[in-house]
Protein backbone atom coordinates (compact mmCIF):
# COMPACT_ATOMS: atom_id res chain seq x y z
CA UNK A 1 0.00 0.00 0.00
CA UNK A 2 1.33 3.44 -0.88
CA UNK A 3 2.24 6.03 1.74
CA UNK A 4 -0.51 8.29 0.41
CA UNK A 5 -3.11 5.60 0.93
CA UNK A 6 -1.83 4.76 4.36
CA UNK A 7 -2.14 8.37 5.49
CA UNK A 8 -5.25 9.23 3.47
CA UNK A 9 -3.37 12.19 2.08
CA UNK A 10 -3.19 13.90 5.49
CA UNK A 11 0.47 13.17 6.17
CA UNK A 12 -0.45 11.49 9.48
CA UNK A 13 0.08 7.73 9.51
CA UNK A 14 -2.44 5.54 11.37
CA UNK A 15 -1.33 3.94 14.63
CA UNK A 16 -2.78 0.55 13.65
CA UNK A 17 -1.18 -1.69 11.07
CA UNK A 18 -2.18 -4.99 9.54
CA UNK A 19 -5.75 -6.21 9.22
CA UNK A 20 -8.63 -5.31 11.55
CA UNK A 21 -11.53 -7.75 11.61
CA UNK A 22 -14.94 -6.37 12.63
CA UNK A 23 -17.63 -8.85 13.66
CA UNK A 24 -21.02 -7.18 13.43
CA UNK A 25 -21.62 -4.67 10.64
CA UNK A 26 -24.31 -2.56 12.29
CA UNK A 27 -24.04 1.09 13.31
CA UNK A 28 -20.92 0.85 15.49
CA UNK A 29 -19.14 -1.85 13.52
CA UNK A 30 -19.70 -0.16 10.16
CA UNK A 31 -18.78 3.25 11.59
CA UNK A 32 -15.49 1.86 12.91
CA UNK A 33 -14.87 0.30 9.51
CA UNK A 34 -15.55 3.57 7.70
CA UNK A 35 -13.21 5.49 10.01
CA UNK A 36 -10.40 2.95 9.66
CA UNK A 37 -10.80 2.63 5.89
CA UNK A 38 -10.49 6.42 5.63
CA UNK A 39 -6.99 5.96 7.06
CA UNK A 40 -6.12 3.23 4.59
CA UNK A 41 -6.37 0.36 7.06
CA UNK A 42 -7.39 -3.07 5.76
CA UNK A 43 -10.78 -3.90 7.32
CA UNK A 44 -12.52 -7.27 7.14
CA UNK A 45 -16.24 -7.41 7.92
CA UNK A 46 -18.29 -10.31 9.20
CA UNK A 47 -21.98 -10.45 10.08
CA UNK A 48 -24.57 -13.17 10.57
CA UNK A 49 -26.91 -11.21 8.30
CA UNK A 50 -25.77 -11.46 4.65
CA UNK A 51 -27.87 -8.40 3.75
CA UNK A 52 -26.35 -6.28 6.52
CA UNK A 53 -22.87 -7.42 5.52
CA UNK A 54 -23.36 -6.59 1.84
CA UNK A 55 -24.79 -3.18 2.74
CA UNK A 56 -21.81 -2.30 4.95
CA UNK A 57 -19.41 -3.40 2.22
CA UNK A 58 -21.31 -1.34 -0.35
CA UNK A 59 -20.94 1.71 1.88
CA UNK A 60 -17.17 1.15 2.00
CA UNK A 61 -16.81 0.00 5.61
CA UNK A 62 -14.57 -2.92 4.67
CA UNK A 63 -14.27 -6.07 2.59
CA UNK A 64 -15.64 -9.58 2.90
CA UNK A 65 -13.63 -12.10 4.92
CA UNK A 66 -11.24 -14.48 3.16
CA UNK A 67 -9.83 -17.79 4.27
CA UNK A 68 -6.28 -16.52 4.71
CA UNK A 69 -7.12 -13.43 6.80
CA UNK A 70 -4.78 -12.99 9.76
CA UNK A 71 -6.11 -10.02 11.73
CA UNK A 72 -3.99 -8.36 14.38
CA UNK A 73 -7.07 -6.89 16.07
CA UNK A 74 -10.67 -8.11 16.18
CA UNK A 75 -13.53 -5.80 17.12
CA UNK A 76 -16.71 -7.57 18.23
CA UNK A 77 -19.73 -5.32 17.68
CA UNK A 78 -22.77 -7.47 18.41
CA UNK A 79 -25.70 -7.22 20.88
CA UNK A 80 -24.79 -7.64 24.58
CA UNK A 81 -26.55 -10.98 24.99
CA UNK A 82 -24.25 -12.68 22.46
CA UNK A 83 -21.05 -10.68 23.05
CA UNK A 84 -19.38 -13.30 25.26
CA UNK A 85 -20.21 -16.10 22.77
CA UNK A 86 -18.74 -14.21 19.83
CA UNK A 87 -15.64 -13.09 21.76
CA UNK A 88 -14.99 -16.70 22.78
CA UNK A 89 -15.34 -17.90 19.18
CA UNK A 90 -12.98 -15.22 17.86
CA UNK A 91 -10.35 -15.93 20.53
CA UNK A 92 -10.44 -19.59 19.53
CA UNK A 93 -10.40 -19.00 15.79
CA UNK A 94 -7.60 -16.41 15.75
CA UNK A 95 -5.06 -17.37 18.45
CA UNK A 96 -2.64 -14.57 17.51
CA UNK A 97 -5.16 -11.70 17.54
CA UNK A 98 -6.18 -9.28 20.27
CA UNK A 99 -9.96 -9.21 20.69
CA UNK A 100 -11.99 -6.27 21.95
CA UNK A 101 -15.71 -5.63 22.00
CA UNK A 102 -17.76 -2.43 21.96
CA UNK A 103 -20.78 -3.57 23.97
CA UNK A 104 -22.27 -0.99 26.32
CA UNK A 105 -21.84 -3.26 29.36
CA UNK A 106 -18.44 -4.60 30.33
CA UNK A 107 -18.68 -6.67 33.50
CA UNK A 108 -21.15 -9.34 32.36
CA UNK A 109 -19.25 -10.45 29.20
CA UNK A 110 -16.00 -10.55 31.19
CA UNK A 111 -17.59 -12.64 33.96
CA UNK A 112 -19.21 -14.99 31.46
CA UNK A 113 -15.88 -15.67 29.75
CA UNK A 114 -14.10 -16.27 33.07
CA UNK A 115 -16.84 -18.62 34.27
CA UNK A 116 -16.38 -20.72 31.13
CA UNK A 117 -12.68 -21.05 31.88
CA UNK A 118 -11.67 -19.11 28.77
CA UNK A 119 -8.22 -17.48 28.76
CA UNK A 120 -8.98 -13.76 28.59
CA UNK A 121 -5.38 -12.59 28.32
CA UNK A 122 -5.95 -11.44 24.72
CA UNK A 123 -9.41 -10.03 25.43
CA UNK A 124 -9.77 -6.35 26.35
CA UNK A 125 -13.29 -5.03 26.72
CA UNK A 126 -13.94 -1.50 25.48
CA UNK A 127 -16.83 0.85 24.84
CA UNK A 128 -17.05 3.96 22.66
CA UNK A 129 -19.48 6.47 24.17
CA UNK A 130 -21.03 7.31 20.83
CA UNK A 131 -24.12 6.32 18.95
CA UNK A 132 -27.28 7.42 17.19
CA UNK A 133 -30.99 6.78 17.70
CA UNK A 134 -31.03 4.95 14.36
CA UNK A 135 -29.11 1.73 13.88
CA UNK A 136 -27.71 -0.39 11.07
CA UNK A 137 -25.00 0.12 8.49
CA UNK A 138 -27.17 2.65 6.66
CA UNK A 139 -26.76 5.03 9.62
CA UNK A 140 -22.98 4.52 9.98
CA UNK A 141 -20.67 7.54 9.93
CA UNK A 142 -16.89 7.76 9.78
CA UNK A 143 -16.93 10.74 12.17
CA UNK A 144 -19.15 9.10 14.80
CA UNK A 145 -16.35 8.77 17.37
CA UNK A 146 -14.50 12.04 16.92
CA UNK A 147 -13.93 13.67 20.30
CA UNK A 148 -15.93 11.01 22.14
CA UNK A 149 -14.65 8.99 25.14
CA UNK A 150 -13.69 5.37 24.45
CA UNK A 151 -13.40 3.34 27.65
CA UNK A 152 -10.79 0.57 27.68
CA UNK A 153 -11.05 -2.03 30.46
CA UNK A 154 -7.74 -3.61 31.33
CA UNK A 155 -7.01 -6.09 34.11
CA UNK A 156 -3.93 -7.54 35.77
CA UNK A 157 -3.41 -9.97 32.88
CA UNK A 158 -3.48 -7.34 30.13
CA UNK A 159 -0.21 -7.07 28.23
CA UNK A 160 0.99 -3.52 27.48
CA UNK A 161 1.33 -4.21 23.76
CA UNK A 162 -2.25 -5.51 23.57
CA UNK A 163 -3.56 -2.52 25.50
CA UNK A 164 -1.70 -0.20 23.14
CA UNK A 165 -3.41 -1.88 20.18
CA UNK A 166 -6.92 -1.21 21.50
CA UNK A 167 -6.00 2.35 22.46
CA UNK A 168 -4.58 2.83 18.96
CA UNK A 169 -7.98 1.78 17.57
CA UNK A 170 -9.69 4.47 19.63
CA UNK A 171 -7.18 7.12 18.61
CA UNK A 172 -7.31 6.21 14.92
CA UNK A 173 -11.08 6.74 14.80
CA UNK A 174 -10.71 10.09 16.59
CA UNK A 175 -11.87 9.03 20.07
CA UNK A 176 -10.27 9.69 23.47
CA UNK A 177 -9.28 6.44 25.25
CA UNK A 178 -9.95 6.26 28.99
CA UNK A 179 -8.98 3.36 31.25
CA UNK A 180 -11.56 1.96 33.69
CA UNK A 181 -12.30 -1.33 35.37
CA UNK A 182 -15.44 -3.11 34.16
CA UNK A 183 -17.13 -2.28 37.47
CA UNK A 184 -16.27 1.41 37.18
CA UNK A 185 -17.52 1.50 33.61
CA UNK A 186 -20.85 -0.17 34.31
CA UNK A 187 -21.66 2.00 37.33
CA UNK A 188 -20.69 5.11 35.36
CA UNK A 189 -22.84 4.37 32.31
CA UNK A 190 -25.73 3.39 34.58
CA UNK A 191 -25.76 6.99 35.82
CA UNK A 192 -24.95 8.85 32.62
CA UNK A 193 -26.59 6.66 29.95
CA UNK A 194 -28.80 3.82 31.12
CA UNK A 195 -30.93 5.59 33.73
CA UNK A 196 -31.37 8.67 31.47
CA UNK A 197 -32.74 6.30 28.81
CA UNK A 198 -35.29 4.89 31.26
CA UNK A 199 -36.31 8.35 32.48
CA UNK A 200 -36.64 9.72 28.94
CA UNK A 201 -38.70 6.71 27.83
CA UNK A 202 -41.04 6.88 30.83
CA UNK A 203 -41.60 10.61 30.37
CA UNK A 204 -42.17 10.26 26.63
CA UNK A 205 -44.56 7.40 27.36
CA UNK A 206 -46.86 9.96 29.02
CA UNK A 207 -47.32 11.55 25.58
CA UNK A 208 -48.80 8.40 24.04
CA UNK A 209 -52.22 9.07 25.57
CA UNK A 210 -51.89 12.85 26.07
CA UNK A 211 -54.38 15.32 24.65
CA UNK A 212 -53.37 16.62 21.24
CA UNK A 213 -53.76 20.19 22.45
CA UNK A 214 -51.21 19.64 25.20
CA UNK A 215 -48.66 18.24 22.74
CA UNK A 216 -48.94 21.38 20.60
CA UNK A 217 -47.34 23.25 23.49
CA UNK A 218 -44.21 21.06 23.46
CA UNK A 219 -41.08 23.19 23.30
CA UNK A 220 -37.38 22.52 23.01
CA UNK A 221 -37.06 21.61 26.69
CA UNK A 222 -39.32 18.57 26.43
CA UNK A 223 -37.74 17.60 23.09
CA UNK A 224 -34.26 17.72 24.64
CA UNK A 225 -35.44 15.71 27.64
CA UNK A 226 -37.02 12.94 25.55
CA UNK A 227 -34.79 12.83 22.46
CA UNK A 228 -33.27 9.45 23.32
CA UNK A 229 -36.69 7.92 23.89
CA UNK A 230 -36.69 7.02 20.17
CA UNK A 231 -34.11 4.27 20.83
CA UNK A 232 -34.70 0.60 19.94
CA UNK A 233 -36.56 -1.31 22.70
CA UNK A 234 -34.99 -4.67 21.77
CA UNK A 235 -31.44 -3.40 22.35
CA UNK A 236 -32.28 -1.60 25.58
CA UNK A 237 -33.93 -4.67 27.09
CA UNK A 238 -30.55 -6.37 26.71
CA UNK A 239 -28.48 -3.43 27.97
CA UNK A 240 -30.61 -2.81 31.05
CA UNK A 241 -30.83 -6.50 31.88
CA UNK A 242 -27.06 -6.87 31.67
CA UNK A 243 -26.43 -3.85 33.92
CA UNK A 244 -29.45 -4.22 36.18
CA UNK A 245 -27.89 -3.83 39.63
CA UNK A 246 -26.33 -0.35 39.28
CA UNK A 247 -29.35 0.84 37.28
CA UNK A 248 -31.75 -0.33 40.00
CA UNK A 249 -29.73 1.41 42.71
CA UNK A 250 -29.94 4.74 40.89
CA UNK A 251 -33.60 4.31 39.95
CA UNK A 252 -34.49 3.56 43.59
CA UNK A 253 -32.67 6.71 44.74
CA UNK A 254 -34.35 8.73 41.99
CA UNK A 255 -37.74 7.33 43.00
CA UNK A 256 -37.10 8.54 46.56
CA UNK A 257 -36.28 12.02 45.24
CA UNK A 258 -39.44 12.09 43.12
CA UNK A 259 -41.55 10.97 46.06
CA UNK A 260 -40.12 13.72 48.27
CA UNK A 261 -40.96 16.39 45.68
CA UNK A 262 -44.43 14.99 44.95
CA UNK A 263 -45.20 14.86 48.70
CA UNK A 264 -44.12 18.50 49.04
CA UNK A 265 -46.36 19.52 46.14
CA UNK A 266 -49.39 17.80 47.66
CA UNK A 267 -49.43 20.64 50.17
CA UNK A 268 -47.22 23.39 48.70
CA UNK A 269 -48.31 25.95 51.31
CA UNK A 270 -47.15 23.81 54.23
CA UNK A 271 -43.97 24.88 56.09
CA UNK A 272 -40.86 23.44 54.41
CA UNK A 273 -42.61 22.39 51.18
CA UNK A 274 -41.22 25.21 49.08
CA UNK A 275 -37.75 24.53 50.41
CA UNK A 276 -37.94 20.89 49.29
CA UNK A 277 -38.84 21.96 45.77
CA UNK A 278 -36.23 24.71 45.69
CA UNK A 279 -33.50 22.36 46.92
CA UNK A 280 -34.41 19.81 44.22
CA UNK A 281 -34.08 22.45 41.51
CA UNK A 282 -30.87 23.83 43.04
CA UNK A 283 -29.31 20.39 43.21
CA UNK A 284 -30.09 20.01 39.52
CA UNK A 285 -28.29 23.30 38.91
CA UNK A 286 -25.25 21.97 40.77
CA UNK A 287 -25.28 18.73 38.79
CA UNK A 288 -25.48 20.49 35.44
CA UNK A 289 -22.53 22.68 36.46
CA UNK A 290 -20.40 19.54 36.81
CA UNK A 291 -21.10 18.23 33.33
CA UNK A 292 -18.12 18.66 31.00
CA UNK A 293 -18.66 21.21 28.28
CA UNK A 294 -16.80 21.90 25.06
CA UNK A 295 -13.44 20.08 24.82
CA UNK A 296 -14.28 18.26 28.07
CA UNK A 297 -14.03 21.44 30.14
CA UNK A 298 -16.45 22.62 32.83
CA UNK A 299 -16.35 26.09 31.31
CA UNK A 300 -19.69 27.90 31.20
CA UNK A 301 -20.86 30.00 28.29
CA UNK A 302 -23.52 32.66 27.87
CA UNK A 303 -26.43 32.40 25.48
CA UNK A 304 -28.12 34.77 23.12
CA UNK A 305 -31.35 33.82 21.37
CA UNK A 306 -31.71 35.09 17.82
CA UNK A 307 -34.95 35.05 15.83
CA UNK A 308 -34.23 33.49 12.42
CA UNK A 309 -36.71 33.67 9.55
CA UNK A 310 -37.67 30.24 8.24
CA UNK A 311 -36.23 30.82 4.75
CA UNK A 312 -33.29 29.29 2.93
CA UNK A 313 -29.84 30.59 3.80
CA UNK A 314 -30.73 32.54 6.94
CA UNK A 315 -28.85 30.31 9.37
CA UNK A 316 -25.78 30.38 7.14
CA UNK A 317 -25.98 34.18 7.00
CA UNK A 318 -26.20 34.33 10.80
CA UNK A 319 -23.06 32.19 11.22
CA UNK A 320 -21.25 34.22 8.58
CA UNK A 321 -21.98 37.51 10.29
CA UNK A 322 -21.01 36.14 13.70
CA UNK A 323 -17.71 35.15 12.08
CA UNK A 324 -17.27 38.67 10.73
CA UNK A 325 -17.82 39.96 14.28
CA UNK A 326 -15.09 37.64 15.54
CA UNK A 327 -17.56 35.64 17.65
CA UNK A 328 -16.94 31.90 17.98
CA UNK A 329 -20.09 29.78 18.25
CA UNK A 330 -19.43 27.39 21.14
CA UNK A 331 -22.76 25.57 20.85
CA UNK A 332 -26.09 25.87 19.04
CA UNK A 333 -29.65 24.79 19.75
CA UNK A 334 -32.57 25.40 17.40
CA UNK A 335 -36.23 25.63 18.36
CA UNK A 336 -39.26 26.09 16.10
CA UNK A 337 -42.58 27.39 17.38
CA UNK A 338 -45.62 25.56 15.94
CA UNK A 339 -47.21 27.63 13.19
CA UNK A 340 -44.58 30.40 13.32
CA UNK A 341 -42.55 31.38 10.28
CA UNK A 342 -39.36 31.77 12.25
CA UNK A 343 -37.12 29.75 14.54
CA UNK A 344 -35.11 30.58 17.65
CA UNK A 345 -31.36 29.97 17.51
CA UNK A 346 -29.90 29.72 21.01
CA UNK A 347 -26.20 30.40 20.54
CA UNK A 348 -23.59 29.82 23.24
CA UNK A 349 -20.64 32.22 23.25
CA UNK A 350 -17.80 33.12 25.59
CA UNK A 351 -18.99 35.65 28.22
CA UNK A 352 -16.58 38.31 26.91
CA UNK A 353 -18.11 38.02 23.42
CA UNK A 354 -21.78 38.34 24.43
CA UNK A 355 -22.16 42.13 24.36
CA UNK A 356 -20.34 42.51 21.06
CA UNK A 357 -22.39 39.73 19.49
CA UNK A 358 -25.69 41.32 20.56
CA UNK A 359 -24.74 44.83 19.44
CA UNK A 360 -23.21 43.67 16.16
CA UNK A 361 -26.15 41.46 15.20
CA UNK A 362 -28.69 44.13 16.04
CA UNK A 363 -26.81 46.61 13.87
CA UNK A 364 -27.13 44.11 11.02
CA UNK A 365 -30.89 43.83 11.49
CA UNK A 366 -31.13 40.62 13.53
CA UNK A 367 -33.80 40.39 16.23
CA UNK A 368 -32.48 39.27 19.62
CA UNK A 369 -35.12 37.45 21.64
CA UNK A 370 -33.04 37.25 24.80
CA UNK A 371 -29.68 36.66 26.43
CA UNK A 372 -28.98 34.44 29.43
CA UNK A 373 -26.15 33.04 31.49
CA UNK A 374 -25.87 29.25 31.43
Amino acid sequence: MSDTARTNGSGIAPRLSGTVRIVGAGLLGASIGLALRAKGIDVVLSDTSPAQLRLAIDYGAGRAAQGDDAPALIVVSVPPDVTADVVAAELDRFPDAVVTDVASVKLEPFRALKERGIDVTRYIGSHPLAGRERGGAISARADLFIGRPWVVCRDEQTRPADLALVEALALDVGAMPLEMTPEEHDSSVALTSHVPQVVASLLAGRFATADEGALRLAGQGVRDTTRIAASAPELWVQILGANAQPVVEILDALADDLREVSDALRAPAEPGARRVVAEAIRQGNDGVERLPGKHGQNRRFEQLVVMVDDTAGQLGRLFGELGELGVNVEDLRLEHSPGAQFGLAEISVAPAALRGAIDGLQERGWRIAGATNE
Side-chain angles (χ1 to χ4, degrees):
M1 183 177 295
S2 70
D3 290 342
T4 300
R6 289 288 296 167
T7 62
N8 194 32
S10 66
I12 301 175
R15 295 165 180 83
L16 289 173
S17 61
T19 296
V20 175
R21 173 178 165 86
I22 298 175
V23 183
L27 172 64
L28 290 183
S31 293
I32 294 169
L34 288 171
L36 294 180
R37 286 299 305 134
K39 286 185 170 289
I41 295 170
D42 181 36
V43 176
V44 172
L45 298 177
S46 174
D47 198 287
T48 56
S49 167
Q52 181 88 304
L53 177 61
R54 286 194 295 268
L55 183 61
I57 292 173
D58 285 349
Y59 274 109
R63 61 175 175 83
Q66 299 175 358
D68 59 351
D69 289 329
L73 177 66
I74 299 171
V75 182
V76 173
S77 180
V78 298
D81 63 346
V82 294
T83 293
D85 294 336
V86 177
V87 167
E90 296 297 310
L91 286 170
D92 181 64
R93 181 177 176 183
F94 298 97
D96 296 324
V98 174
V99 179
T100 188
D101 76 283
V102 293
S104 56
V105 289
K106 298 273 65 86
L107 187 56
E108 180 154 310
F110 182 73
R111 280 178 174 168
L113 292 167
K114 295 280 283 187
E115 288 171 358
R116 299 179 197 181
I118 294 172
D119 182 3
V120 294
T121 303
R122 292 182 291 112
Y123 166 65
I124 302 173
S126 71
H127 178 211
L129 276 298
R132 305 181 69 186
E133 287 75 46
R134 295 172 295 174
I138 194 171
S139 301
R141 290 171 40 174
D143 62 353
L144 186 66
F145 310 102
I146 293 176
R148 303 298 302 161
W150 188 306
V151 176
V152 181
C153 295
R154 67 181 304 173
D155 60 28
E156 64 279 0
Q157 298 180 10
T158 303
R159 296 176 296 204
D162 295 347
L163 178 66
L165 201 59
V166 178
E167 291 181 340
L169 166 67
L171 291 168
D172 273 348
V173 299
M176 301 178 296
L178 301 171
E179 288 188 22
M180 285 185 171
T181 65
E183 293 85 353
E184 289 171 339
H185 169 273
D186 285 6
S187 64
S188 296
V189 295
L191 176 63
T192 60
S193 175
H194 300 171
V195 168
Q197 175 65 54
V198 175
V199 172
S201 295
L202 291 174
L203 178 57
R206 299 284 99 193
F207 306 155
T209 56
D211 183 78
E212 192 68 29
L215 296 181
R216 290 196 186 100
L217 304 181
Q220 195 61 37
V222 74
R223 296 179 191 280
D224 288 346
T225 306
T226 58
R227 177 182 59 82
I228 58 175
S231 300
E234 300 84 0
L235 177 62
W236 275 100
V237 167
Q238 295 184 34
I239 293 172
L240 294 170
N243 200 29
Q245 181 178 345
V247 169
V248 166
E249 291 173 359
I250 298 168
L251 285 176
D252 284 345
L254 184 60
D256 291 340
D257 293 340
L258 289 170
R259 177 60 60 187
E260 186 176 12
V261 171
S262 64
D263 286 345
L265 292 176
R266 293 179 205 282
E270 289 293 318
R274 290 180 176 84
R275 179 175 179 176
V276 169
V277 176
E279 285 298 307
I281 302 300
R282 182 194 59 77
Q283 190 169 10
N285 297 161
D286 294 343
V288 167
E289 285 292 323
R290 296 196 62 202
L291 291 175
K294 186 177 179 182
H295 307 314
Q297 302 172 352
N298 289 324
R299 181 184 176 192
R300 298 294 101 188
F301 300 108
E302 298 204 27
Q303 285 74 43
L304 66 151
V305 181
V306 184
M307 298 175 67
V308 181
D309 290 337
D310 192 11
T311 56
Q314 291 302 300
L315 196 57
R317 183 168 73 87
L318 173 61
F319 282 173
E321 295 190 358
L322 283 168
E324 292 172 4
L325 292 168
V327 176
N328 186 44
V329 176
E330 307 288 351
D331 201 358
L332 169 70
R333 185 170 65 177
L334 293 175
E335 181 174 356
H336 290 88
S337 299
Q341 297 303 309
F342 64 87
L344 298 176
E346 182 181 296
I347 298 170
S348 298
V349 301
L354 180 62
R355 188 72 261 163
I358 293 174
D359 293 343
L361 289 176
Q362 287 179 330
E363 289 172 1
R364 288 164 167 78
W366 292 98
R367 293 169 293 171
I368 307 299
T372 59
N373 179 266
E374 187 180 63

